[in-house]
């Protein structure tokens, strides 16, 4: 290692920079030149600007990022092995671009995870059935209008207690446009059954102890076969979640 030094102005002898007098001729030595002014680290200033620009967006993402904590912990373990070596071989600009790339991937992952949390569309009326009823039923397409015919076997837990007198329960489900659905509901009302709900959900136990259900928001409606009594029909509604 080369020690700092200075040159005597009188005899040109090299002297230690810490000395005040030349050891060769005794002349006073000039003051040691000051080192170059400290320069701000480029990476620090650039990263400060990056933080200013991206901090608000990152704060908004924070609640969603928390949901990804388990995956992030696994990723952090992997990154801790390889990132230091990679950054050591890269320049400041490349390292900063890498950080921005990671932020972009994280944002994409968060928004993608949010989109996957939205309810999926129901492609058939059978998929719109309460899960308890759907699992207990065997359904097949009934006509070209999109209606499905479903059957619940008499030994199913849904019909436990002889709700249908030991017979299988047949019912039909369909999704109709609002004008056709409104006409169907008007027909049900005019039959003079027991109306249990009449708002977004319309629910009626018909005169023959059948169940009529419609959702005016989605167009979904359901018509069942006969139960042994109104009490049996109500029990069916409670068990399947069509009424609470």
């Amino acid at each position: 290692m080369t020690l700092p030094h200075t040159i005597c102005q009188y005899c040109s002898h090299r002297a230690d920079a810490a000395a005040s007098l030349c050891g060769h001729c005794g002349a006073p030595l000039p003051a040691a030149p000051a080192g170059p002014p400290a320069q701000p680290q480029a990476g620090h200033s650039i990263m400060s600007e990056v933080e200013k620009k991206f901090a608000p967006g990152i704060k908004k993402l924070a609640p969603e990022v928390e949901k990804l904590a388990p995956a992030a912990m696994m990723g952090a373990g992997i990154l801790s092995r390889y990132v230091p070596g990679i950054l050591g071989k890269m320049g400041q600009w490349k390292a900063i671009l890498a950080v921005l790339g990671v932020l972009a991937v994280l944002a994409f992952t968060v928004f993608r995870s949010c989109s996957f949390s939205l309810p999926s569309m129901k492609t058939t009326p059978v998929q719109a059935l309460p899960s308890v009823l759907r699992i207990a039923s065997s359904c097949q397409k009934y006509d070209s209008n999109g209606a499905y015919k479903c059957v619940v076997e008499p030994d199913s837990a849904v019909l436990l207690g002889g709700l249908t007198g030991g017979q299988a329960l047949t019912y039909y489900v369909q999704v109709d446009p609002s004008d056709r659905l409104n006409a169907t509901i008007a027909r049900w009302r005019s039959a003079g059954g027991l109306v249990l709900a009449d708002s977004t959900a319309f629910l009626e136990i018909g005169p023959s102890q059948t169940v009529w259900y419609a959702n005016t928001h989605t167009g979904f409606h359901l018509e069942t076969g006969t139960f042994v009594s109104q009490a049996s029909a109500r029990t069916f509604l409670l068990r399947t979640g069509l009424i609470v």
Side-chain angles (χ1 to χ4, degrees):
M1 182 176 69
T2 303
L3 296 175
H5 62 272
T6 186
I7 303 297
C8 179
Q9 295 179 348
Y10 297 95
C11 66
S12 300
H13 184 77
R14 178 179 294 183
D16 191 309
S20 60
L21 298 175
C22 177
H24 183 260
C25 68
L29 294 172
Q39 298 292 329
Q41 296 183 3
H44 182 270
S45 60
I46 294 171
M47 288 306 295
S48 296
E49 293 300 320
V50 170
E51 290 175 359
K52 290 179 182 178
K53 291 182 179 180
F54 287 91
I58 293 173
K59 287 181 180 179
K60 291 180 180 179
L61 289 175
E64 296 299 333
V65 171
E66 288 180 1
K67 299 178 182 178
L68 301 177
M73 291 297 291
M74 182 182 296
I78 297 173
L79 291 175
S80 65
R81 294 185 181 182
Y82 302 106
V83 168
I86 294 172
L87 295 182
K89 298 177 182 179
M90 299 169 65
Q92 282 284 350
W93 279 106
K94 290 183 179 180
I96 292 168
L97 289 175
V99 171
L100 294 178
V102 171
L103 289 175
V105 171
L106 176 60
F108 173 78
T109 303
V110 169
F111 291 129
R112 189 167 181 268
S113 69
C114 292
S115 67
F116 285 162
S117 66
L118 296 175
S120 59
M121 292 295 293
K122 306 299 184 183
T123 56
T124 69
V126 174
Q127 290 175 296
L129 288 168
S131 58
V132 172
L133 182 56
R134 185 175 67 250
I135 293 170
S137 303
S138 175
C139 301
Q140 59 183 1
K141 196 166 185 179
Y142 180 67
D143 61 25
S144 59
N145 293 325
Y148 280 74
K149 177 181 179 180
C150 300
V151 177
V152 180
E153 295 300 329
D155 59 350
S156 169
V158 171
L159 301 179
L160 187 65
L163 302 187
T164 55
Q167 304 297 313
L169 174 69
T170 300
Y171 66 92
Y172 300 85
V173 291
Q174 188 170 341
V175 175
D176 278 338
S178 58
D179 55 342
R180 291 178 59 183
L181 182 63
N182 289 337
T184 297
I185 294 174
R187 174 170 55 84
W188 290 346
R189 282 199 188 98
S190 64
L194 175 64
V195 176
L196 301 176
D198 191 0
S199 57
T200 301
F202 178 88
L203 183 58
E204 181 178 352
I205 298 176
S208 300
Q209 319 310 326
T210 56
V211 166
W212 297 332
Y213 172 88
N215 186 312
T216 58
H217 179 69
T218 63
F220 171 85
H221 61 94
L222 172 151
E223 298 185 50
T224 74
T226 303
F227 292 89
V228 296
S229 64
Q230 281 191 0
S232 296
R234 283 177 177 270
T235 300
F236 169 80
L237 293 171
L238 290 168
R239 286 179 181 174
T240 56
L242 288 171
I243 191 174
V244 293

